[in-house]
PDB file of all heavy atoms in Angstrom:
ATOM      1  N   VAL A  92       3.885   7.028  -0.467  1.00  0.00           N
ATOM      2  CA  VAL A  92       4.090   7.319  -1.895  1.00  0.00           C
ATOM      3  C   VAL A  92       4.212   8.833  -2.110  1.00  0.00           C
ATOM      4  O   VAL A  92       5.121   9.305  -2.806  1.00  0.00           O
ATOM      5  CB  VAL A  92       2.977   6.696  -2.764  1.00  0.00           C
ATOM      6  CG1 VAL A  92       3.153   7.076  -4.226  1.00  0.00           C
ATOM      7  CG2 VAL A  92       2.982   5.166  -2.623  1.00  0.00           C
ATOM      8  N   GLY A  93       3.332   9.607  -1.473  1.00  0.00           N
ATOM      9  CA  GLY A  93       3.403  11.064  -1.610  1.00  0.00           C
ATOM     10  C   GLY A  93       4.704  11.618  -1.045  1.00  0.00           C
ATOM     11  O   GLY A  93       5.368  12.463  -1.670  1.00  0.00           O
ATOM     12  N   LEU A  94       5.102  11.131   0.128  1.00  0.00           N
ATOM     13  CA  LEU A  94       6.317  11.659   0.772  1.00  0.00           C
ATOM     14  C   LEU A  94       7.573  11.245   0.006  1.00  0.00           C
ATOM     15  O   LEU A  94       8.501  12.040  -0.157  1.00  0.00           O
ATOM     16  CB  LEU A  94       6.387  11.173   2.223  1.00  0.00           C
ATOM     17  CG  LEU A  94       5.306  11.766   3.143  1.00  0.00           C
ATOM     18  CD1 LEU A  94       5.241  11.004   4.465  1.00  0.00           C
ATOM     19  CD2 LEU A  94       5.544  13.255   3.385  1.00  0.00           C
ATOM     20  N   ALA A  95       7.583   9.999  -0.482  1.00  0.00           N
ATOM     21  CA  ALA A  95       8.750   9.539  -1.250  1.00  0.00           C
ATOM     22  C   ALA A  95       8.854  10.326  -2.558  1.00  0.00           C
ATOM     23  O   ALA A  95       9.955  10.630  -3.022  1.00  0.00           O
ATOM     24  CB  ALA A  95       8.634   8.048  -1.538  1.00  0.00           C
ATOM     25  N   THR A  96       7.710  10.689  -3.135  1.00  0.00           N
ATOM     26  CA  THR A  96       7.731  11.479  -4.369  1.00  0.00           C
ATOM     27  C   THR A  96       8.290  12.874  -4.093  1.00  0.00           C
ATOM     28  O   THR A  96       9.120  13.393  -4.852  1.00  0.00           O
ATOM     29  CB  THR A  96       6.307  11.563  -4.968  1.00  0.00           C
ATOM     30  OG1 THR A  96       5.834  10.239  -5.177  1.00  0.00           O
ATOM     31  CG2 THR A  96       6.293  12.318  -6.282  1.00  0.00           C
ATOM     32  N   ALA A  97       7.860  13.467  -2.978  1.00  0.00           N
ATOM     33  CA  ALA A  97       8.398  14.787  -2.605  1.00  0.00           C
ATOM     34  C   ALA A  97       9.910  14.694  -2.384  1.00  0.00           C
ATOM     35  O   ALA A  97      10.678  15.568  -2.809  1.00  0.00           O
ATOM     36  CB  ALA A  97       7.705  15.288  -1.338  1.00  0.00           C
ATOM     37  N   PHE A  98      10.346  13.620  -1.741  1.00  0.00           N
ATOM     38  CA  PHE A  98      11.772  13.427  -1.457  1.00  0.00           C
ATOM     39  C   PHE A  98      12.564  13.315  -2.760  1.00  0.00           C
ATOM     40  O   PHE A  98      13.635  13.934  -2.911  1.00  0.00           O
ATOM     41  CB  PHE A  98      11.921  12.151  -0.615  1.00  0.00           C
ATOM     42  CG  PHE A  98      13.329  11.785  -0.284  1.00  0.00           C
ATOM     43  CD1 PHE A  98      14.069  12.533   0.621  1.00  0.00           C
ATOM     44  CD2 PHE A  98      13.925  10.676  -0.871  1.00  0.00           C
ATOM     45  CE1 PHE A  98      15.374  12.187   0.940  1.00  0.00           C
ATOM     46  CE2 PHE A  98      15.225  10.320  -0.563  1.00  0.00           C
ATOM     47  CZ  PHE A  98      15.957  11.074   0.342  1.00  0.00           C
ATOM     48  N   ARG A  99      12.046  12.554  -3.724  1.00  0.00           N
ATOM     49  CA  ARG A  99      12.751  12.407  -5.005  1.00  0.00           C
ATOM     50  C   ARG A  99      12.743  13.716  -5.781  1.00  0.00           C
ATOM     51  O   ARG A  99      13.701  14.046  -6.481  1.00  0.00           O
ATOM     52  CB  ARG A  99      12.101  11.294  -5.842  1.00  0.00           C
ATOM     53  CG  ARG A  99      12.317   9.896  -5.296  1.00  0.00           C
ATOM     54  CD  ARG A  99      13.776   9.636  -4.996  1.00  0.00           C
ATOM     55  NE  ARG A  99      14.075   8.229  -4.808  1.00  0.00           N
ATOM     56  CZ  ARG A  99      15.205   7.770  -4.272  1.00  0.00           C
ATOM     57  NH1 ARG A  99      16.138   8.601  -3.859  1.00  0.00           N
ATOM     58  NH2 ARG A  99      15.406   6.476  -4.147  1.00  0.00           N
ATOM     59  N   LEU A 100      11.647  14.470  -5.650  1.00  0.00           N
ATOM     60  CA  LEU A 100      11.541  15.779  -6.313  1.00  0.00           C
ATOM     61  C   LEU A 100      12.615  16.720  -5.760  1.00  0.00           C
ATOM     62  O   LEU A 100      13.266  17.462  -6.488  1.00  0.00           O
ATOM     63  CB  LEU A 100      10.142  16.331  -6.041  1.00  0.00           C
ATOM     64  CG  LEU A 100       9.514  17.300  -7.024  1.00  0.00           C
ATOM     65  CD1 LEU A 100       9.587  16.797  -8.444  1.00  0.00           C
ATOM     66  CD2 LEU A 100       8.039  17.496  -6.638  1.00  0.00           C
ATOM     67  N   MET A 101      12.785  16.652  -4.450  1.00  0.00           N
ATOM     68  CA  MET A 101      13.778  17.495  -3.763  1.00  0.00           C
ATOM     69  C   MET A 101      15.186  17.200  -4.299  1.00  0.00           C
ATOM     70  O   MET A 101      15.984  18.107  -4.519  1.00  0.00           O
ATOM     71  CB  MET A 101      13.684  17.152  -2.278  1.00  0.00           C
ATOM     72  CG  MET A 101      14.609  17.843  -1.379  1.00  0.00           C
ATOM     73  SD  MET A 101      14.364  17.125   0.279  1.00  0.00           S
ATOM     74  CE  MET A 101      15.807  16.079   0.388  1.00  0.00           C
ATOM     75  N   GLU A 102      15.472  15.920  -4.562  1.00  0.00           N
ATOM     76  CA  GLU A 102      16.792  15.554  -5.094  1.00  0.00           C
ATOM     77  C   GLU A 102      16.934  15.998  -6.549  1.00  0.00           C
ATOM     78  O   GLU A 102      17.987  16.452  -6.971  1.00  0.00           O
ATOM     79  CB  GLU A 102      16.965  14.029  -5.046  1.00  0.00           C
ATOM     80  CG  GLU A 102      17.067  13.476  -3.648  1.00  0.00           C
ATOM     81  CD  GLU A 102      17.194  11.960  -3.645  1.00  0.00           C
ATOM     82  OE1 GLU A 102      16.686  11.282  -4.575  1.00  0.00           O
ATOM     83  OE2 GLU A 102      17.791  11.447  -2.705  1.00  0.00           O
ATOM     84  N   ARG A 103      15.848  15.843  -7.319  1.00  0.00           N
ATOM     85  CA  ARG A 103      15.911  16.068  -8.763  1.00  0.00           C
ATOM     86  C   ARG A 103      15.780  17.550  -9.125  1.00  0.00           C
ATOM     87  O   ARG A 103      16.407  18.023 -10.055  1.00  0.00           O
ATOM     88  CB  ARG A 103      14.771  15.269  -9.416  1.00  0.00           C
ATOM     89  CG  ARG A 103      14.618  15.395 -10.885  1.00  0.00           C
ATOM     90  CD  ARG A 103      15.715  14.602 -11.608  1.00  0.00           C
ATOM     91  NE  ARG A 103      15.532  14.566 -13.038  1.00  0.00           N
ATOM     92  CZ  ARG A 103      15.639  15.609 -13.844  1.00  0.00           C
ATOM     93  NH1 ARG A 103      15.931  16.785 -13.347  1.00  0.00           N
ATOM     94  NH2 ARG A 103      15.465  15.480 -15.145  1.00  0.00           N
ATOM     95  N   ALA A 104      14.951  18.278  -8.377  1.00  0.00           N
ATOM     96  CA  ALA A 104      14.688  19.681  -8.718  1.00  0.00           C
ATOM     97  C   ALA A 104      14.610  20.495  -7.428  1.00  0.00           C
ATOM     98  O   ALA A 104      13.531  20.925  -7.019  1.00  0.00           O
ATOM     99  CB  ALA A 104      13.391  19.767  -9.514  1.00  0.00           C
ATOM    100  N   PRO A 105      15.751  20.711  -6.766  1.00  0.00           N
ATOM    101  CA  PRO A 105      15.732  21.304  -5.416  1.00  0.00           C
ATOM    102  C   PRO A 105      15.183  22.727  -5.338  1.00  0.00           C
ATOM    103  O   PRO A 105      14.794  23.166  -4.261  1.00  0.00           O
ATOM    104  CB  PRO A 105      17.216  21.264  -4.997  1.00  0.00           C
ATOM    105  CG  PRO A 105      17.993  21.054  -6.243  1.00  0.00           C
ATOM    106  CD  PRO A 105      17.108  20.360  -7.212  1.00  0.00           C
ATOM    107  N   ASN A 106      15.137  23.419  -6.450  1.00  0.00           N
ATOM    108  CA  ASN A 106      14.719  24.828  -6.369  1.00  0.00           C
ATOM    109  C   ASN A 106      13.223  25.059  -6.529  1.00  0.00           C
ATOM    110  O   ASN A 106      12.766  26.197  -6.503  1.00  0.00           O
ATOM    111  CB  ASN A 106      15.474  25.654  -7.412  1.00  0.00           C
ATOM    112  CG  ASN A 106      16.939  25.696  -7.064  1.00  0.00           C
ATOM    113  OD1 ASN A 106      17.294  25.737  -5.878  1.00  0.00           O
ATOM    114  ND2 ASN A 106      17.801  25.619  -8.064  1.00  0.00           N
ATOM    115  N   LEU A 107      12.475  23.994  -6.693  1.00  0.00           N
ATOM    116  CA  LEU A 107      11.028  24.167  -6.857  1.00  0.00           C
ATOM    117  C   LEU A 107      10.356  24.456  -5.517  1.00  0.00           C
ATOM    118  O   LEU A 107      10.867  24.082  -4.459  1.00  0.00           O
ATOM    119  CB  LEU A 107      10.417  22.896  -7.430  1.00  0.00           C
ATOM    120  CG  LEU A 107      10.862  22.465  -8.822  1.00  0.00           C
ATOM    121  CD1 LEU A 107      10.123  21.203  -9.227  1.00  0.00           C
ATOM    122  CD2 LEU A 107      10.600  23.573  -9.831  1.00  0.00           C
ATOM    123  N   SER A 108       9.194  25.092  -5.582  1.00  0.00           N
ATOM    124  CA  SER A 108       8.376  25.214  -4.368  1.00  0.00           C
ATOM    125  C   SER A 108       7.349  24.087  -4.411  1.00  0.00           C
ATOM    126  O   SER A 108       6.669  23.885  -5.419  1.00  0.00           O
ATOM    127  CB  SER A 108       7.685  26.578  -4.325  1.00  0.00           C
ATOM    128  OG  SER A 108       6.832  26.727  -5.429  1.00  0.00           O
ATOM    129  N   VAL A 109       7.312  23.339  -3.312  1.00  0.00           N
ATOM    130  CA  VAL A 109       6.489  22.131  -3.296  1.00  0.00           C
ATOM    131  C   VAL A 109       5.697  22.060  -1.994  1.00  0.00           C
ATOM    132  O   VAL A 109       6.232  22.380  -0.920  1.00  0.00           O
ATOM    133  CB  VAL A 109       7.381  20.863  -3.433  1.00  0.00           C
ATOM    134  CG1 VAL A 109       6.545  19.587  -3.299  1.00  0.00           C
ATOM    135  CG2 VAL A 109       8.125  20.859  -4.766  1.00  0.00           C
ATOM    136  N   ALA A 110       4.438  21.675  -2.081  1.00  0.00           N
ATOM    137  CA  ALA A 110       3.641  21.444  -0.867  1.00  0.00           C
ATOM    138  C   ALA A 110       3.037  20.059  -0.912  1.00  0.00           C
ATOM    139  O   ALA A 110       2.538  19.620  -1.953  1.00  0.00           O
ATOM    140  CB  ALA A 110       2.529  22.491  -0.768  1.00  0.00           C
ATOM    141  N   VAL A 111       3.106  19.362   0.232  1.00  0.00           N
ATOM    142  CA  VAL A 111       2.419  18.074   0.375  1.00  0.00           C
ATOM    143  C   VAL A 111       1.170  18.347   1.205  1.00  0.00           C
ATOM    144  O   VAL A 111       1.251  18.894   2.314  1.00  0.00           O
ATOM    145  CB  VAL A 111       3.317  17.028   1.074  1.00  0.00           C
ATOM    146  CG1 VAL A 111       2.557  15.713   1.263  1.00  0.00           C
ATOM    147  CG2 VAL A 111       4.601  16.799   0.284  1.00  0.00           C
ATOM    148  N   LEU A 112       0.018  17.980   0.667  1.00  0.00           N
ATOM    149  CA  LEU A 112      -1.270  18.257   1.335  1.00  0.00           C
ATOM    150  C   LEU A 112      -1.823  16.960   1.921  1.00  0.00           C
ATOM    151  O   LEU A 112      -2.038  15.993   1.193  1.00  0.00           O
ATOM    152  CB  LEU A 112      -2.279  18.799   0.319  1.00  0.00           C
ATOM    153  CG  LEU A 112      -2.190  20.256  -0.125  1.00  0.00           C
ATOM    154  CD1 LEU A 112      -0.798  20.669  -0.518  1.00  0.00           C
ATOM    155  CD2 LEU A 112      -3.134  20.491  -1.300  1.00  0.00           C
TER     156      LEU A 112
END
Side-chain angles (χ1 to χ4, degrees):
V92 176
L94 292 167
T96 303
F98 178 71
R99 290 310 195 194
L100 207 50
M101 178 185 104
E102 292 178 331
R103 178 75 174 68
N106 293 324
L107 297 181
S108 61
V109 175
V111 178
L112 282 48

